[in-house]
Amino acid sequence: MWTSSSDPKTMEQVWKDITLTTTAAAGKKRFQDFDPTSADRHHKRMIKNRESAARSRARKQAYTNELELEVAHLLQENAMLRKQQLQFHREEAADHKGKPLHRASTAPF
């Protein structure tokens, strides 16, 4: 058991002191020592963070708009190519409609 001749404390008082000391030390730094300069720095950092987040959202929105335009363009191009393909198939079918098929002999029997 720990005792001091100059300051006699009971174990209960020592335990309370230790608990209070460690609890205060475990708290967040910004609440331990408050000074106006740290509050200003915190406020400036908070503003910069908001501005950065706003820029990030704007970049994301611009990128999304760009992708949507590209999708629209590709859908339009795809529709045009499908029309061309259909037209070529129709023309080819019309060219071969009147012609009979000729069989070629591949092997003599």
Side-chain angles (χ1 to χ4, degrees):
M1 189 159 148
W2 180 79
T3 57
S4 172
S5 58
S6 63
D7 186 21
K9 291 184 177 181
T10 65
M11 253 334 241
E12 227 176 339
Q13 290 171 334
V14 171
W15 181 250
K16 284 181 184 177
D17 289 347
I18 291 172
T19 314
L20 288 174
T21 306
T22 56
T23 308
K28 296 187 177 187
K29 286 184 178 180
R30 62 180 168 202
F31 295 120
Q32 284 181 357
D33 298 322
F34 180 77
D35 62 45
T37 58
S38 68
D40 288 341
R41 283 194 312 254
H42 175 72
H43 185 67
K44 285 180 183 178
R45 189 174 66 241
M46 192 170 59
I47 290 172
K48 283 185 180 182
N49 189 28
R50 284 181 185 164
E51 291 171 351
S52 176
R55 285 192 305 271
S56 177
R57 285 190 300 271
R59 278 193 309 270
K60 183 178 180 181
Q61 184 65 42
Y63 180 66
T64 304
N65 291 342
E66 183 181 328
L67 288 177
E68 287 173 350
L69 285 174
E70 186 177 357
V71 166
H73 172 73
L74 291 173
L75 287 172
Q76 185 179 13
E77 184 179 357
N78 191 18
M80 181 188 69
L81 290 172
R82 284 182 185 267
K83 274 185 183 179
Q84 285 180 356
Q85 183 185 28
L86 184 62
Q87 184 180 358
F88 289 143
H89 282 297
R90 284 181 182 165
E91 287 174 3
E92 191 154 316
D95 287 345
H96 294 294
K97 193 171 188 176
K99 297 180 183 176
L101 293 177
H102 298 287
R103 295 185 183 246
S105 63
T106 56
F109 289 101

